[in-house]
Amino acid sequence: MSERFDTLFAGMSEETAMETLLKPPAELKNPGLKYLAATRLGACQSPESLQRLLAAGANDSDDLYERITRRKALEALGRRKDGSALPVLLAALQADDEPTVVNAADAIARLGTPLNKEEKTALLQALQGPDNQRRAVLQAFCRLGMNDASGQIDRCRNDSNPLVAGAAHAYAVRVLGDQQGLHPLVEQLRDDNPGRRRAAVIDLGDAGRIEALAALIRCPVSMPLRAKSAFQMATSQAGAVDPDATDLLKELLEDDPRQLNLDGIPETAAEPEAIKEGLQHRDEARQYAAAKALMAMPRAAQLDQIDALRSSLGSDYGVHYLLASCTGLLELHERSDLVRDALAETAPQYAKSRIAGAWSCLRLQLRDQTSLLEEVGRSHPWQPLQWSCREVALLLS
């Protein structure tokens, strides 16, 4: 499956990437191309490119460019999901470079193969490190469904850092069956810190319990992050979405800012400059507060504001998404072209705009888009978008 920025590196051929990846930085005019080469090879499938990534992932050079390349190579090996990478990933856990260890642990989780006793021990040893590294180790144990007989992971539930404790709570719920771990994660969805809210959404997805879905969908973090966790919680091992979750998933994907928990988030004035500034804020909750302010304006002002934002910030992925969403939620038939354009976007970075476009088609009853909705519903690899298009096409028919 292609990932968000694959198209940005598509201009580098597989052959060029393989040639570049293992070249010494001093031999390259731009040593940063080694990082791009690793990214490119993560989307390839040939045995030759895999061998290049294995070599880069095993390179423990202290050179800055080589370190950065190694980190990306380890991430790419996780994408490739080839079991032959496991020895390289396990060896990387011993690195003194935190991002290298984090990427190695993440990649081990992505391989999807539970570890034997010795391999578990190697992963557990990486718990003796910085908090981000510890969180990655905890997540790997949780995502692989592996029990830790030593009890080290369970003790992390009392850690002072909620990002460490949260990953340990998710492990306790998923692996040990301790449903009490859901409570602190649900509470963290309302944290003032956006990073902690995002972490709680991820941890609830890892925990995989549908009981927390109603709370998760109203957390003001990015819709794709919530959708990823929500579908983890609502999808069975056989790949079927729980029918009891359908209404909550629709509410999540329609993503009405007025339904989110924005308590404690500064209110945005329903004024053009305040809304424009809020939509560009790094905290998604502030973006949603700005969208909510736009929705409180008189209709004529809404149309003018959307036109102005589309002209000045239309290439901003977040703004693009919220404009497509608000157009449908406000039933602004006058801007249905914006919705059609959003649904037709094919670049990976606009995938969430396509979801907004799909649900806005339903609000605006754009039946002329049914064929496109059906096509995307059949063929797109991203489950939230595929599911949205199928549901909307059915409801429009």
Side-chain angles (χ1 to χ4, degrees):
M1 171 181 171
S2 63
E3 296 194 7
R4 184 175 179 184
F5 295 111
D6 280 355
T7 54
L8 300 182
F9 311 119
M12 177 182 282
S13 70
E14 181 177 352
E15 292 73 19
T16 299
M18 288 195 291
E19 180 183 348
T20 303
L21 184 63
L22 300 183
K23 268 193 176 181
E27 295 183 12
L28 294 169
K29 290 183 179 180
N30 179 5
L33 290 174
K34 290 169 66 69
Y35 172 94
L36 300 185
T39 303
R40 176 69 178 89
L41 296 182
C44 298
Q45 297 180 358
S46 69
E48 295 80 10
S49 62
L50 179 64
Q51 291 305 311
R52 300 296 200 289
L53 287 173
L54 289 171
N59 185 357
D60 59 0
S61 169
D62 287 332
D63 179 88
L64 176 60
Y65 288 108
E66 297 287 21
R67 278 197 173 206
I68 293 172
T69 301
R70 186 188 191 190
R71 296 169 190 169
K72 180 53 66 172
L74 294 168
E75 179 184 299
L77 287 170
R79 277 190 73 180
R80 297 289 293 262
K81 297 184 179 180
D82 190 302
S84 66
L86 185 57
V88 169
L89 299 175
L90 290 169
L93 294 172
Q94 301 175 39
D96 60 2
D97 177 52
E98 178 188 347
T100 294
V101 180
V102 168
N103 284 7
D106 286 343
I108 288 170
R110 292 190 75 169
L111 289 186
T113 305
L115 310 181
N116 62 32
K117 183 178 179 180
E118 292 74 21
E119 293 163 346
K120 281 186 186 181
T121 299
L123 185 56
L124 280 172
Q125 287 174 348
L127 270 178
Q128 311 307 314
D131 285 351
N132 284 340
Q133 179 173 312
R134 296 168 67 207
R135 178 172 169 81
V137 171
L138 296 169
Q139 289 176 321
F141 266 85
C142 179
R143 292 168 184 176
L144 292 173
M146 298 187 306
N147 187 34
D148 165 33
S150 73
Q152 294 181 64
I153 294 179
D154 194 54
R155 289 193 289 274
C156 289
R157 296 176 71 179
N158 298 315
D159 198 90
S160 60
N161 185 337
L163 273 64
V164 173
H169 287 311
Y171 162 85
V173 175
R174 180 169 175 169
V175 180
L176 304 181
D178 183 358
Q179 304 304 305
Q180 295 301 313
L182 289 177
H183 178 72
L185 294 176
V186 169
E187 288 295 308
Q188 195 175 314
L189 292 173
R190 292 178 173 269
D191 198 287
D192 291 337
N193 184 296
R196 292 179 180 178
R197 293 196 302 269
R198 295 181 193 118
V201 168
I202 293 169
D203 292 337
L204 284 169
D206 286 343
R209 297 299 306 183
I210 200 169
E211 294 89 342
L213 184 57
L216 179 138
I217 68 169
R218 297 183 181 92
C219 179
V221 301
S222 75
M223 181 275 289
L225 185 65
R226 281 178 286 144
K228 180 178 180 180
S229 288
F231 277 91
Q232 284 179 260
M233 297 157 75
T235 304
S236 69
Q237 289 187 343
V241 173
D242 188 332
D244 292 337
T246 298
D247 288 343
L248 289 174
L249 291 175
K250 286 180 179 178
E251 183 178 339
L252 160 62
L253 295 164
E254 288 186 291
D255 205 19
D256 190 334
R258 297 166 296 191
Q259 303 302 318
L260 298 179
N261 290 325
L262 294 175
D263 296 342
I265 305 300
E267 186 174 342
T268 302
E271 300 172 354
E273 284 306 311
I275 291 171
K276 183 177 181 179
E277 181 179 346
L279 289 175
Q280 299 174 85
H281 201 282
R282 293 184 64 183
D283 181 355
E284 296 99 338
R286 299 290 293 271
Q287 297 171 18
Y288 281 117
K292 184 178 178 180
L294 186 154
M295 298 177 79
M297 299 174 84
R299 188 179 185 90
Q302 290 170 348
L303 293 168
D304 289 344
Q305 180 75 345
I306 286 174
D307 289 344
L309 290 167
R310 192 179 181 186
S311 174
S312 62
L313 298 174
S315 61
D316 181 297
Y317 309 146
V319 174
H320 190 274
Y321 164 71
L322 288 170
L323 292 182
S325 179
C326 288
T327 298
L329 291 167
L330 295 168
E331 298 186 8
L332 298 175
H333 294 270
E334 301 94 324
R335 298 296 176 268
S336 59
D337 65 309
L338 188 158
V339 171
R340 291 184 174 90
D341 288 348
L343 183 61
E345 285 284 359
T346 56
Q349 59 267 36
Y350 289 107
K352 64 180 180 180
S353 291
R354 302 188 82 180
I355 290 181
W359 292 102
S360 292
C361 281
L362 180 62
R363 292 267 184 168
L364 301 178
Q365 290 293 291
L366 301 182
R367 288 188 169 81
D368 62 306
Q369 299 299 294
T370 301
S371 294
L372 178 55
L373 288 162
E374 290 173 343
E375 177 189 340
V376 177
R378 284 191 303 268
S379 62
H380 203 279
W382 188 32
Q383 187 180 15
L385 176 55
Q386 181 190 90
W387 191 86
S388 292
C389 288
R390 286 205 310 262
E391 290 291 313
V392 171
L394 183 64
L395 292 168
L396 280 175
S397 62

PDB file of all heavy atoms in Angstrom, residues 299 324 326-340 357-368 396:
ATOM      1  N   ARG A 299     -24.621  33.033   6.680  1.00  0.00           N
ATOM      2  CA  ARG A 299     -24.345  32.253   5.470  1.00  0.00           C
ATOM      3  C   ARG A 299     -23.507  33.021   4.454  1.00  0.00           C
ATOM      4  O   ARG A 299     -22.549  32.474   3.896  1.00  0.00           O
ATOM      5  CB  ARG A 299     -25.669  31.800   4.843  1.00  0.00           C
ATOM      6  CG  ARG A 299     -25.477  30.813   3.680  1.00  0.00           C
ATOM      7  CD  ARG A 299     -26.816  30.378   3.105  1.00  0.00           C
ATOM      8  NE  ARG A 299     -26.679  29.359   2.071  1.00  0.00           N
ATOM      9  CZ  ARG A 299     -26.672  28.045   2.292  1.00  0.00           C
ATOM     10  NH1 ARG A 299     -26.790  27.602   3.525  1.00  0.00           N
ATOM     11  NH2 ARG A 299     -26.539  27.192   1.291  1.00  0.00           N
ATOM     12  N   ALA A 324     -13.676  21.364   2.777  1.00  0.00           N
ATOM     13  CA  ALA A 324     -14.534  20.352   2.138  1.00  0.00           C
ATOM     14  C   ALA A 324     -15.554  19.811   3.124  1.00  0.00           C
ATOM     15  O   ALA A 324     -16.712  19.545   2.766  1.00  0.00           O
ATOM     16  CB  ALA A 324     -13.670  19.218   1.590  1.00  0.00           C
ATOM     17  N   CYS A 326     -16.728  21.401   6.004  1.00  0.00           N
ATOM     18  CA  CYS A 326     -17.700  22.427   6.400  1.00  0.00           C
ATOM     19  C   CYS A 326     -18.698  22.734   5.286  1.00  0.00           C
ATOM     20  O   CYS A 326     -19.867  23.022   5.555  1.00  0.00           O
ATOM     21  CB  CYS A 326     -16.973  23.709   6.809  1.00  0.00           C
ATOM     22  SG  CYS A 326     -16.118  23.594   8.393  1.00  0.00           S
ATOM     23  N   THR A 327     -18.255  22.646   4.047  1.00  0.00           N
ATOM     24  CA  THR A 327     -19.169  22.909   2.932  1.00  0.00           C
ATOM     25  C   THR A 327     -20.346  21.950   2.960  1.00  0.00           C
ATOM     26  O   THR A 327     -21.495  22.344   2.722  1.00  0.00           O
ATOM     27  CB  THR A 327     -18.420  22.795   1.592  1.00  0.00           C
ATOM     28  OG1 THR A 327     -17.389  23.788   1.542  1.00  0.00           O
ATOM     29  CG2 THR A 327     -19.367  23.002   0.419  1.00  0.00           C
ATOM     30  N   GLY A 328     -20.075  20.692   3.265  1.00  0.00           N
ATOM     31  CA  GLY A 328     -21.167  19.723   3.368  1.00  0.00           C
ATOM     32  C   GLY A 328     -21.979  19.887   4.634  1.00  0.00           C
ATOM     33  O   GLY A 328     -23.210  19.861   4.591  1.00  0.00           O
ATOM     34  N   LEU A 329     -21.285  20.053   5.756  1.00  0.00           N
ATOM     35  CA  LEU A 329     -21.993  20.186   7.034  1.00  0.00           C
ATOM     36  C   LEU A 329     -22.932  21.390   7.044  1.00  0.00           C
ATOM     37  O   LEU A 329     -23.995  21.355   7.672  1.00  0.00           O
ATOM     38  CB  LEU A 329     -20.980  20.299   8.182  1.00  0.00           C
ATOM     39  CG  LEU A 329     -20.169  19.027   8.483  1.00  0.00           C
ATOM     40  CD1 LEU A 329     -19.000  19.347   9.401  1.00  0.00           C
ATOM     41  CD2 LEU A 329     -21.065  17.962   9.111  1.00  0.00           C
ATOM     42  N   LEU A 330     -22.539  22.445   6.347  1.00  0.00           N
ATOM     43  CA  LEU A 330     -23.365  23.652   6.281  1.00  0.00           C
ATOM     44  C   LEU A 330     -24.341  23.631   5.104  1.00  0.00           C
ATOM     45  O   LEU A 330     -25.113  24.570   4.922  1.00  0.00           O
ATOM     46  CB  LEU A 330     -22.456  24.889   6.161  1.00  0.00           C
ATOM     47  CG  LEU A 330     -21.564  25.173   7.375  1.00  0.00           C
ATOM     48  CD1 LEU A 330     -20.521  26.227   7.035  1.00  0.00           C
ATOM     49  CD2 LEU A 330     -22.416  25.614   8.575  1.00  0.00           C
ATOM     50  N   GLU A 331     -24.270  22.554   4.302  1.00  0.00           N
ATOM     51  CA  GLU A 331     -25.124  22.399   3.121  1.00  0.00           C
ATOM     52  C   GLU A 331     -25.045  23.618   2.204  1.00  0.00           C
ATOM     53  O   GLU A 331     -26.053  24.178   1.763  1.00  0.00           O
ATOM     54  CB  GLU A 331     -26.571  22.112   3.547  1.00  0.00           C
ATOM     55  CG  GLU A 331     -26.691  20.812   4.341  1.00  0.00           C
ATOM     56  CD  GLU A 331     -28.123  20.428   4.664  1.00  0.00           C
ATOM     57  OE1 GLU A 331     -29.046  21.087   4.140  1.00  0.00           O
ATOM     58  OE2 GLU A 331     -28.311  19.479   5.443  1.00  0.00           O
ATOM     59  N   LEU A 332     -23.796  23.989   1.900  1.00  0.00           N
ATOM     60  CA  LEU A 332     -23.560  25.137   1.028  1.00  0.00           C
ATOM     61  C   LEU A 332     -23.545  24.663  -0.429  1.00  0.00           C
ATOM     62  O   LEU A 332     -22.501  24.447  -1.036  1.00  0.00           O
ATOM     63  CB  LEU A 332     -22.231  25.805   1.388  1.00  0.00           C
ATOM     64  CG  LEU A 332     -22.136  26.381   2.818  1.00  0.00           C
ATOM     65  CD1 LEU A 332     -20.733  26.909   3.085  1.00  0.00           C
ATOM     66  CD2 LEU A 332     -23.181  27.475   3.039  1.00  0.00           C
ATOM     67  N   HIS A 333     -24.731  24.516  -0.995  1.00  0.00           N
ATOM     68  CA  HIS A 333     -24.850  24.018  -2.363  1.00  0.00           C
ATOM     69  C   HIS A 333     -24.108  24.909  -3.358  1.00  0.00           C
ATOM     70  O   HIS A 333     -23.662  24.436  -4.406  1.00  0.00           O
ATOM     71  CB  HIS A 333     -26.328  23.918  -2.749  1.00  0.00           C
ATOM     72  CG  HIS A 333     -27.075  22.881  -1.959  1.00  0.00           C
ATOM     73  ND1 HIS A 333     -27.168  21.571  -2.370  1.00  0.00           N
ATOM     74  CD2 HIS A 333     -27.748  22.962  -0.772  1.00  0.00           C
ATOM     75  CE1 HIS A 333     -27.879  20.884  -1.486  1.00  0.00           C
ATOM     76  NE2 HIS A 333     -28.240  21.702  -0.504  1.00  0.00           N
ATOM     77  N   GLU A 334     -23.966  26.190  -3.001  1.00  0.00           N
ATOM     78  CA  GLU A 334     -23.287  27.123  -3.897  1.00  0.00           C
ATOM     79  C   GLU A 334     -21.811  26.748  -4.101  1.00  0.00           C
ATOM     80  O   GLU A 334     -21.187  27.201  -5.067  1.00  0.00           O
ATOM     81  CB  GLU A 334     -23.353  28.549  -3.331  1.00  0.00           C
ATOM     82  CG  GLU A 334     -24.773  29.070  -3.112  1.00  0.00           C
ATOM     83  CD  GLU A 334     -25.254  28.825  -1.683  1.00  0.00           C
ATOM     84  OE1 GLU A 334     -24.906  27.768  -1.100  1.00  0.00           O
ATOM     85  OE2 GLU A 334     -25.966  29.693  -1.155  1.00  0.00           O
ATOM     86  N   ARG A 335     -21.232  25.963  -3.195  1.00  0.00           N
ATOM     87  CA  ARG A 335     -19.816  25.589  -3.292  1.00  0.00           C
ATOM     88  C   ARG A 335     -19.663  24.083  -3.530  1.00  0.00           C
ATOM     89  O   ARG A 335     -18.673  23.479  -3.141  1.00  0.00           O
ATOM     90  CB  ARG A 335     -19.068  26.012  -2.018  1.00  0.00           C
ATOM     91  CG  ARG A 335     -19.068  27.507  -1.756  1.00  0.00           C
ATOM     92  CD  ARG A 335     -18.334  28.271  -2.841  1.00  0.00           C
ATOM     93  NE  ARG A 335     -18.416  29.716  -2.626  1.00  0.00           N
ATOM     94  CZ  ARG A 335     -19.349  30.496  -3.131  1.00  0.00           C
ATOM     95  NH1 ARG A 335     -20.305  29.965  -3.926  1.00  0.00           N
ATOM     96  NH2 ARG A 335     -19.356  31.790  -2.899  1.00  0.00           N
ATOM     97  N   SER A 336     -20.614  23.484  -4.198  1.00  0.00           N
ATOM     98  CA  SER A 336     -20.540  22.043  -4.461  1.00  0.00           C
ATOM     99  C   SER A 336     -19.341  21.687  -5.341  1.00  0.00           C
ATOM    100  O   SER A 336     -18.859  20.554  -5.314  1.00  0.00           O
ATOM    101  CB  SER A 336     -21.838  21.551  -5.111  1.00  0.00           C
ATOM    102  OG  SER A 336     -22.080  22.231  -6.328  1.00  0.00           O
ATOM    103  N   ASP A 337     -18.841  22.647  -6.131  1.00  0.00           N
ATOM    104  CA  ASP A 337     -17.650  22.370  -6.937  1.00  0.00           C
ATOM    105  C   ASP A 337     -16.456  22.060  -6.054  1.00  0.00           C
ATOM    106  O   ASP A 337     -15.598  21.238  -6.409  1.00  0.00           O
ATOM    107  CB  ASP A 337     -17.348  23.560  -7.861  1.00  0.00           C
ATOM    108  CG  ASP A 337     -16.967  24.814  -7.074  1.00  0.00           C
ATOM    109  OD1 ASP A 337     -17.714  25.190  -6.142  1.00  0.00           O
ATOM    110  OD2 ASP A 337     -15.921  25.414  -7.378  1.00  0.00           O
ATOM    111  N   LEU A 338     -16.382  22.695  -4.891  1.00  0.00           N
ATOM    112  CA  LEU A 338     -15.296  22.434  -3.946  1.00  0.00           C
ATOM    113  C   LEU A 338     -15.347  20.982  -3.482  1.00  0.00           C
ATOM    114  O   LEU A 338     -14.313  20.311  -3.368  1.00  0.00           O
ATOM    115  CB  LEU A 338     -15.417  23.400  -2.754  1.00  0.00           C
ATOM    116  CG  LEU A 338     -14.313  23.462  -1.703  1.00  0.00           C
ATOM    117  CD1 LEU A 338     -14.364  24.798  -0.974  1.00  0.00           C
ATOM    118  CD2 LEU A 338     -14.419  22.329  -0.690  1.00  0.00           C
ATOM    119  N   VAL A 339     -16.551  20.485  -3.231  1.00  0.00           N
ATOM    120  CA  VAL A 339     -16.739  19.108  -2.786  1.00  0.00           C
ATOM    121  C   VAL A 339     -16.344  18.131  -3.882  1.00  0.00           C
ATOM    122  O   VAL A 339     -15.653  17.132  -3.648  1.00  0.00           O
ATOM    123  CB  VAL A 339     -18.198  18.888  -2.348  1.00  0.00           C
ATOM    124  CG1 VAL A 339     -18.476  17.415  -2.087  1.00  0.00           C
ATOM    125  CG2 VAL A 339     -18.504  19.732  -1.115  1.00  0.00           C
ATOM    126  N   ARG A 340     -16.775  18.400  -5.106  1.00  0.00           N
ATOM    127  CA  ARG A 340     -16.418  17.527  -6.240  1.00  0.00           C
ATOM    128  C   ARG A 340     -14.903  17.479  -6.424  1.00  0.00           C
ATOM    129  O   ARG A 340     -14.320  16.427  -6.669  1.00  0.00           O
ATOM    130  CB  ARG A 340     -17.108  18.003  -7.516  1.00  0.00           C
ATOM    131  CG  ARG A 340     -18.622  17.808  -7.525  1.00  0.00           C
ATOM    132  CD  ARG A 340     -19.198  18.225  -8.879  1.00  0.00           C
ATOM    133  NE  ARG A 340     -20.609  17.924  -8.995  1.00  0.00           N
ATOM    134  CZ  ARG A 340     -21.589  18.767  -8.646  1.00  0.00           C
ATOM    135  NH1 ARG A 340     -21.280  19.985  -8.169  1.00  0.00           N
ATOM    136  NH2 ARG A 340     -22.852  18.424  -8.775  1.00  0.00           N
ATOM    137  N   GLY A 357     -15.075  14.989   1.233  1.00  0.00           N
ATOM    138  CA  GLY A 357     -15.832  15.137   0.003  1.00  0.00           C
ATOM    139  C   GLY A 357     -16.936  14.108  -0.116  1.00  0.00           C
ATOM    140  O   GLY A 357     -18.053  14.416  -0.569  1.00  0.00           O
ATOM    141  N   ALA A 358     -16.645  12.875   0.287  1.00  0.00           N
ATOM    142  CA  ALA A 358     -17.654  11.812   0.199  1.00  0.00           C
ATOM    143  C   ALA A 358     -18.868  12.140   1.056  1.00  0.00           C
ATOM    144  O   ALA A 358     -20.020  12.105   0.578  1.00  0.00           O
ATOM    145  CB  ALA A 358     -17.043  10.483   0.627  1.00  0.00           C
ATOM    146  N   TRP A 359     -18.625  12.464   2.329  1.00  0.00           N
ATOM    147  CA  TRP A 359     -19.770  12.735   3.213  1.00  0.00           C
ATOM    148  C   TRP A 359     -20.480  14.030   2.840  1.00  0.00           C
ATOM    149  O   TRP A 359     -21.700  14.160   3.026  1.00  0.00           O
ATOM    150  CB  TRP A 359     -19.306  12.756   4.670  1.00  0.00           C
ATOM    151  CG  TRP A 359     -18.882  11.384   5.117  1.00  0.00           C
ATOM    152  CD1 TRP A 359     -17.621  10.902   5.246  1.00  0.00           C
ATOM    153  CD2 TRP A 359     -19.759  10.281   5.426  1.00  0.00           C
ATOM    154  NE1 TRP A 359     -17.647   9.582   5.625  1.00  0.00           N
ATOM    155  CE2 TRP A 359     -18.930   9.172   5.739  1.00  0.00           C
ATOM    156  CE3 TRP A 359     -21.139  10.132   5.463  1.00  0.00           C
ATOM    157  CZ2 TRP A 359     -19.454   7.927   6.093  1.00  0.00           C
ATOM    158  CZ3 TRP A 359     -21.661   8.893   5.818  1.00  0.00           C
ATOM    159  CH2 TRP A 359     -20.831   7.805   6.124  1.00  0.00           C
ATOM    160  N   SER A 360     -19.740  14.988   2.268  1.00  0.00           N
ATOM    161  CA  SER A 360     -20.387  16.214   1.794  1.00  0.00           C
ATOM    162  C   SER A 360     -21.252  15.937   0.579  1.00  0.00           C
ATOM    163  O   SER A 360     -22.288  16.596   0.378  1.00  0.00           O
ATOM    164  CB  SER A 360     -19.327  17.277   1.482  1.00  0.00           C
ATOM    165  OG  SER A 360     -18.692  17.718   2.675  1.00  0.00           O
ATOM    166  N   CYS A 361     -20.856  14.964  -0.239  1.00  0.00           N
ATOM    167  CA  CYS A 361     -21.720  14.562  -1.360  1.00  0.00           C
ATOM    168  C   CYS A 361     -23.079  14.099  -0.849  1.00  0.00           C
ATOM    169  O   CYS A 361     -24.121  14.371  -1.465  1.00  0.00           O
ATOM    170  CB  CYS A 361     -21.069  13.433  -2.155  1.00  0.00           C
ATOM    171  SG  CYS A 361     -19.772  13.965  -3.295  1.00  0.00           S
ATOM    172  N   LEU A 362     -23.079  13.402   0.269  1.00  0.00           N
ATOM    173  CA  LEU A 362     -24.337  12.943   0.842  1.00  0.00           C
ATOM    174  C   LEU A 362     -25.161  14.120   1.333  1.00  0.00           C
ATOM    175  O   LEU A 362     -26.366  14.207   1.064  1.00  0.00           O
ATOM    176  CB  LEU A 362     -24.063  11.968   1.992  1.00  0.00           C
ATOM    177  CG  LEU A 362     -25.288  11.395   2.698  1.00  0.00           C
ATOM    178  CD1 LEU A 362     -26.143  10.580   1.729  1.00  0.00           C
ATOM    179  CD2 LEU A 362     -24.856  10.539   3.886  1.00  0.00           C
ATOM    180  N   ARG A 363     -24.526  15.035   2.025  1.00  0.00           N
ATOM    181  CA  ARG A 363     -25.241  16.210   2.553  1.00  0.00           C
ATOM    182  C   ARG A 363     -25.831  17.056   1.431  1.00  0.00           C
ATOM    183  O   ARG A 363     -26.924  17.605   1.566  1.00  0.00           O
ATOM    184  CB  ARG A 363     -24.268  17.061   3.380  1.00  0.00           C
ATOM    185  CG  ARG A 363     -23.794  16.409   4.668  1.00  0.00           C
ATOM    186  CD  ARG A 363     -24.665  16.801   5.823  1.00  0.00           C
ATOM    187  NE  ARG A 363     -24.178  16.264   7.084  1.00  0.00           N
ATOM    188  CZ  ARG A 363     -24.629  16.651   8.271  1.00  0.00           C
ATOM    189  NH1 ARG A 363     -25.571  17.579   8.328  1.00  0.00           N
ATOM    190  NH2 ARG A 363     -24.159  16.119   9.358  1.00  0.00           N
ATOM    191  N   LEU A 364     -25.086  17.162   0.338  1.00  0.00           N
ATOM    192  CA  LEU A 364     -25.525  18.000  -0.776  1.00  0.00           C
ATOM    193  C   LEU A 364     -26.271  17.218  -1.849  1.00  0.00           C
ATOM    194  O   LEU A 364     -26.673  17.785  -2.856  1.00  0.00           O
ATOM    195  CB  LEU A 364     -24.312  18.699  -1.409  1.00  0.00           C
ATOM    196  CG  LEU A 364     -23.492  19.611  -0.479  1.00  0.00           C
ATOM    197  CD1 LEU A 364     -22.302  20.195  -1.218  1.00  0.00           C
ATOM    198  CD2 LEU A 364     -24.364  20.715   0.102  1.00  0.00           C
ATOM    199  N   GLN A 365     -26.415  15.893  -1.607  1.00  0.00           N
ATOM    200  CA  GLN A 365     -27.132  15.017  -2.540  1.00  0.00           C
ATOM    201  C   GLN A 365     -26.560  15.094  -3.959  1.00  0.00           C
ATOM    202  O   GLN A 365     -27.286  15.224  -4.950  1.00  0.00           O
ATOM    203  CB  GLN A 365     -28.628  15.365  -2.553  1.00  0.00           C
ATOM    204  CG  GLN A 365     -29.358  14.999  -1.265  1.00  0.00           C
ATOM    205  CD  GLN A 365     -29.442  13.484  -1.053  1.00  0.00           C
ATOM    206  OE1 GLN A 365     -30.154  12.799  -1.784  1.00  0.00           O
ATOM    207  NE2 GLN A 365     -28.726  12.977  -0.051  1.00  0.00           N
ATOM    208  N   LEU A 366     -25.240  14.985  -4.042  1.00  0.00           N
ATOM    209  CA  LEU A 366     -24.555  15.048  -5.339  1.00  0.00           C
ATOM    210  C   LEU A 366     -24.533  13.656  -5.965  1.00  0.00           C
ATOM    211  O   LEU A 366     -23.511  12.962  -5.986  1.00  0.00           O
ATOM    212  CB  LEU A 366     -23.137  15.599  -5.160  1.00  0.00           C
ATOM    213  CG  LEU A 366     -23.031  16.993  -4.537  1.00  0.00           C
ATOM    214  CD1 LEU A 366     -21.575  17.439  -4.462  1.00  0.00           C
ATOM    215  CD2 LEU A 366     -23.871  18.006  -5.310  1.00  0.00           C
ATOM    216  N   ARG A 367     -25.632  13.260  -6.507  1.00  0.00           N
ATOM    217  CA  ARG A 367     -25.756  11.906  -7.068  1.00  0.00           C
ATOM    218  C   ARG A 367     -24.905  11.704  -8.314  1.00  0.00           C
ATOM    219  O   ARG A 367     -24.637  10.558  -8.702  1.00  0.00           O
ATOM    220  CB  ARG A 367     -27.226  11.598  -7.362  1.00  0.00           C
ATOM    221  CG  ARG A 367     -28.044  11.382  -6.096  1.00  0.00           C
ATOM    222  CD  ARG A 367     -29.460  10.893  -6.390  1.00  0.00           C
ATOM    223  NE  ARG A 367     -30.113  10.446  -5.173  1.00  0.00           N
ATOM    224  CZ  ARG A 367     -30.697  11.240  -4.281  1.00  0.00           C
ATOM    225  NH1 ARG A 367     -30.706  12.561  -4.514  1.00  0.00           N
ATOM    226  NH2 ARG A 367     -31.257  10.753  -3.197  1.00  0.00           N
ATOM    227  N   ASP A 368     -24.491  12.801  -8.937  1.00  0.00           N
ATOM    228  CA  ASP A 368     -23.624  12.655 -10.102  1.00  0.00           C
ATOM    229  C   ASP A 368     -22.250  12.112  -9.734  1.00  0.00           C
ATOM    230  O   ASP A 368     -21.475  11.713 -10.611  1.00  0.00           O
ATOM    231  CB  ASP A 368     -23.477  14.006 -10.817  1.00  0.00           C
ATOM    232  CG  ASP A 368     -22.834  15.055  -9.930  1.00  0.00           C
ATOM    233  OD1 ASP A 368     -23.332  15.278  -8.809  1.00  0.00           O
ATOM    234  OD2 ASP A 368     -21.831  15.658 -10.358  1.00  0.00           O
ATOM    235  N   LEU A 396     -26.845   7.198  -1.253  1.00  0.00           N
ATOM    236  CA  LEU A 396     -27.271   8.061  -2.370  1.00  0.00           C
ATOM    237  C   LEU A 396     -28.073   7.283  -3.410  1.00  0.00           C
ATOM    238  O   LEU A 396     -28.780   7.896  -4.221  1.00  0.00           O
ATOM    239  CB  LEU A 396     -26.062   8.687  -3.051  1.00  0.00           C
ATOM    240  CG  LEU A 396     -25.423   9.914  -2.373  1.00  0.00           C
ATOM    241  CD1 LEU A 396     -24.177  10.328  -3.110  1.00  0.00           C
ATOM    242  CD2 LEU A 396     -26.405  11.070  -2.267  1.00  0.00           C
TER     243      LEU A 396
END
